[in-house]
Amino acid sequence: MDSQSQTALSDSKNVFSIWKVLLPVAIGLTVVVLMFVHDARKENLAQVWQSIHFTPYTWACIALAFLFMFGRDFGLSWRFRALTDRELRWSQAFKVDFLCEFTSCVTPSAVGGSSLGMVFLNSQGIEFGRATTLMMTTLFLDELFFVLSCPIVVFFTPAHEIFASGGSGFSHGIKLTFWVVYVFLFAWTLILFLGIIARPQWVRSVLIKVCKIKFLRRFAAGAEQLGDNMVATSKELRKKPFRFWLEVFGGTALSWTSRYLVVNALFLGFLPQDNQWQWVILARQFVIWVVLMVSPTPGGSGLSEWLFSEYYGDIVSTAGMALVLAVFWRVISYYVYLVIGCCIVPGWLRSTMARFKGHRSSSAPSDSSSSSQN
C-alpha cells in the first residue's frame, strides 16, 4: 500500500467518525420536526395522517419505491463491473456502491461519495492508481448524464410546471439556482472531457500555470495531482471500444433514473388521483438533484426535506401530505443507506486496516535486509 492509499485510508477513518454519522440525522430530524410544528399551526396534521390509508396498493407502491432504489444500486454496481473489466464480483461491486453512497450521506453534497471511491476499489483488489482513474471516469459519467438529460427534460416540460407554478419567490429562486448550477456543471463536464479524453496534457499544463498565481499557489500540488490523474485516465479510456461507453453510460442512466422514479412510486401509492402529474413529478427530480449538488449539509440533510415539501407543495393538496411524502422519500433514498453503511463500514475498516498492517509488517524485513546489504 503506497503513501497515497495510506493517506486516503486515514481520511476515510475521519469521514466515518460517529459524530459525522449522527450529524446529518440530527439535522434532518430537526428540520422535519420544525416543519411539522409549522404545518400544525396551519392545518390538522392528525387528520392528514388519518387520511392516509395503507392499503395493499399503497404497500405495493412503497415496495416499488424500494425496487427502484435497488435499480439505482444495480446500475452503479453494473457500472463498477464494466469499468473494472469484470474484475469485481457482483458482491464486491455492491459493497463499493454502498460504501460510496454512505460517504455521500455523511459528507456535503459537493464532495460526494466518489471522494473515497478509490479507497473502496483498492480494498477490493484494484490497484490504487487505476482505482483513481476509474473514479474520475465515474465522475465524468455522472456529470455527463446531468448535462445531457436536464435540457431534454426542461425542453419537454412547461416552465411553469417544472419550476413550480404561481410565480412566487421560491419558484424564481429554484429556477435561478438550477440554471446557475447547471452552467457550472456544464463547464466542469467540459473540463473533464478535455482532461480525460480530448486534451489531457493541455488541461494539465493549464491547471499548473493557473496555480502559479500568487493567491492560488496553495492549490498547486492538488492541481498537479489532478492533472496527472487526468493523463492516466485518458491513456486507459482511449483503449476502450464504443460498446464499453454504451455499457457504462447505460448503467449511469439506469441508476439515476431509478433514483428519480422513487418519488413517482410514492405519489402513486399515496396520491393515486394525481397520476396526470407523473411526468412533472419525474422532471422536478432532475431539478432537485441539481440544486442539491451545492448543499452544504451532509447528504443534503434538512435542505432535502424542506425543498421537497416546498417544491411539490403545488401538486399535493396539503402541506402536511407533502411533508409525509418527503419523510418517506428520505427514509427510502437516504436513511436506509445510513443504516446499511453503519452495518458494513466497521467490518470494512477492520479488514482494510488488518490488510494494511499485514502489508506493512511483511515489507519490513525486506527493507531492513536491503539496508544491511548497503
Side-chain angles (χ1 to χ4, degrees):
M1 184 176 288
D2 56 27
S3 59
Q4 272 189 304
S5 53
Q6 292 176 30
T7 302
L9 179 59
S10 176
D11 291 342
S12 67
K13 292 173 65 178
N14 294 330
V15 168
F16 297 147
S17 59
I18 294 178
W19 76 268
K20 288 188 177 181
V21 176
L22 295 178
L23 178 61
V25 176
I27 294 174
L29 291 178
T30 299
V31 171
V32 168
V33 170
L34 291 175
M35 291 175 66
F36 267 117
V37 172
H38 177 266
D39 292 340
R41 297 173 180 173
K42 298 188 297 182
E43 54 190 88
N44 192 331
L45 290 182
Q47 291 181 355
V48 172
W49 185 255
Q50 291 172 2
S51 67
I52 300 174
H53 303 289
F54 288 93
T55 64
Y57 175 78
T58 304
W59 286 115
C61 290
I62 293 175
L64 180 62
F66 277 102
L67 182 62
F68 281 134
M69 282 309 296
F70 173 77
R72 175 241 172 241
D73 296 312
F74 176 81
L76 290 186
S77 301
W78 172 27
R79 187 174 73 175
F80 279 126
R81 292 246 306 156
L83 286 169
T84 59
D85 297 319
R86 306 295 190 277
E87 289 183 32
L88 289 184
R89 299 187 304 273
W90 277 108
S91 59
Q92 292 176 305
F94 271 102
K95 189 171 188 177
V96 172
D97 165 57
F98 287 136
L99 287 169
C100 286
E101 187 63 19
F102 181 70
T103 306
S104 297
C105 290
V106 298
T107 56
S109 300
V111 177
S114 61
S115 57
L116 292 176
M118 64 287 293
V119 181
F120 305 144
L121 285 171
N122 181 244
S123 70
Q124 303 304 312
I126 305 299
E127 191 270 330
F128 191 82
R130 185 183 175 211
T132 302
T133 68
L134 295 179
M135 291 312 301
M136 185 162 285
T137 307
T138 65
L139 176 63
F140 170 67
L141 289 168
D142 287 333
E143 312 296 34
L144 182 64
F145 173 78
F146 281 110
V147 167
L148 294 179
S149 61
C150 285
I152 296 174
V153 171
V154 171
F155 178 79
F156 285 102
T157 312
H160 71 277
E161 292 183 354
I162 193 172
F163 295 114
S165 60
S168 63
F170 174 81
S171 62
H172 290 309
I174 199 170
K175 183 178 181 179
L176 177 62
T177 304
F178 171 80
W179 285 119
V180 169
V181 175
Y182 179 82
V183 168
F184 280 100
L185 194 63
F186 183 89
W188 174 233
T189 306
L190 180 60
I191 293 173
L192 287 174
F193 173 76
L194 293 173
I196 69 177
I197 296 178
R199 298 287 184 88
Q201 292 288 357
W202 179 79
V203 171
R204 181 183 181 277
S205 63
V206 169
L207 287 174
I208 293 175
K209 288 179 180 178
V210 168
C211 287
K212 287 182 178 179
I213 301 173
K214 188 174 182 179
F215 67 92
L216 294 176
R217 285 176 185 169
R218 59 194 178 108
F219 301 111
E224 186 173 359
Q225 182 64 51
L226 176 61
D228 292 340
N229 291 339
M230 285 183 171
V231 173
T233 303
S234 178
K235 290 180 180 178
E236 182 163 339
L237 293 182
R238 287 183 177 183
K239 305 173 186 175
K240 301 297 184 182
F242 183 68
R243 187 183 70 82
F244 165 84
W245 288 105
L246 284 179
E247 185 173 7
V248 294
F249 190 76
T252 304
L254 173 63
S255 66
W256 282 108
T257 305
S258 295
R259 184 196 290 261
Y260 298 158
L261 287 171
V262 169
V263 178
N264 289 77
L266 292 176
F267 268 85
L268 280 175
F270 290 98
L271 297 168
Q273 69 276 11
D274 293 331
N275 285 346
Q276 73 275 12
W277 289 96
Q278 284 298 311
W279 171 255
V280 176
I281 292 168
L282 176 63
R284 290 188 180 187
Q285 278 292 290
F286 283 81
V287 177
I288 280 181
W289 285 101
V290 168
V291 172
L292 287 178
M293 284 184 179
V294 293
S295 171
T297 60
S301 56
L303 178 61
S304 297
E305 292 82 356
W306 173 81
L307 183 59
F308 185 98
S309 299
E310 291 292 324
Y311 198 22
Y312 287 103
D314 60 333
I315 297 178
V316 183
S317 57
T318 63
M321 177 59 76
L323 186 53
V324 169
L325 286 169
V327 170
F328 272 93
W329 171 58
R330 289 293 280 173
V331 167
I332 295 172
S333 64
Y334 179 76
Y335 289 104
V336 165
Y337 290 97
L338 272 180
V339 174
I340 293 175
C342 289
C343 293
I344 67 175
V345 162
W348 175 81
L349 279 175
R350 283 195 299 269
S351 62
T352 305
M353 289 301 297
R355 176 169 158 263
F356 166 61
K357 291 178 181 177
H359 175 83
R360 187 169 56 181
S361 61
S362 63
S363 62
S366 61
D367 294 340
S368 59
S369 61
S370 62
S371 60
S372 63
Q373 289 177 357
N374 294 333

